[in-house]
Amino acid sequence: MNMYVKVFDFEHEKDLEESINLFLGDEEIEIKDVLYQTSHFFAMNEQVFSFSAMILYEKKPKNI
């Protein structure tokens, strides 16, 4: 099987959660690992947050 990567990045943690849950609902993939990260920085006197995740997965073979 081939390994694939899916990257998610949002400014709000709820958006990240919803997007990942939607992706995980795909029954044709097998999750191998999930890596999660948060960061923040200042831009024009405003604090900006970044919530991100990288999912390593394989596509399940199709039954014929």
Side-chain angles (χ1 to χ4, degrees), residues 4-64:
Y4 296 91
V5 174
K6 177 74 173 173
V7 177
F8 301 87
D9 183 40
F10 293 94
E11 289 184 25
H12 301 282
E13 64 272 19
K14 285 292 186 186
D15 294 333
L16 177 66
E17 181 180 300
E18 289 174 10
S19 185
I20 289 175
N21 283 335
L22 183 62
F23 181 75
L24 294 176
D26 184 346
E27 295 179 5
E28 296 180 7
I29 62 172
E30 181 177 339
I31 304 301
K32 295 298 180 181
D33 199 5
V34 177
L35 300 113
Y36 173 76
Q37 177 177 309
T38 61
S39 64
H40 72 281
F41 57 92
F42 289 92
M44 305 289 289
N45 295 327
E46 181 181 348
Q47 190 170 6
V48 179
F49 287 88
S50 173
F51 299 89
S52 59
M54 181 174 71
I55 298 178
L56 302 171
Y57 68 97
E58 292 179 345
K59 292 183 181 179
K60 293 180 181 177
K62 295 187 189 250
N63 295 333
I64 299 175

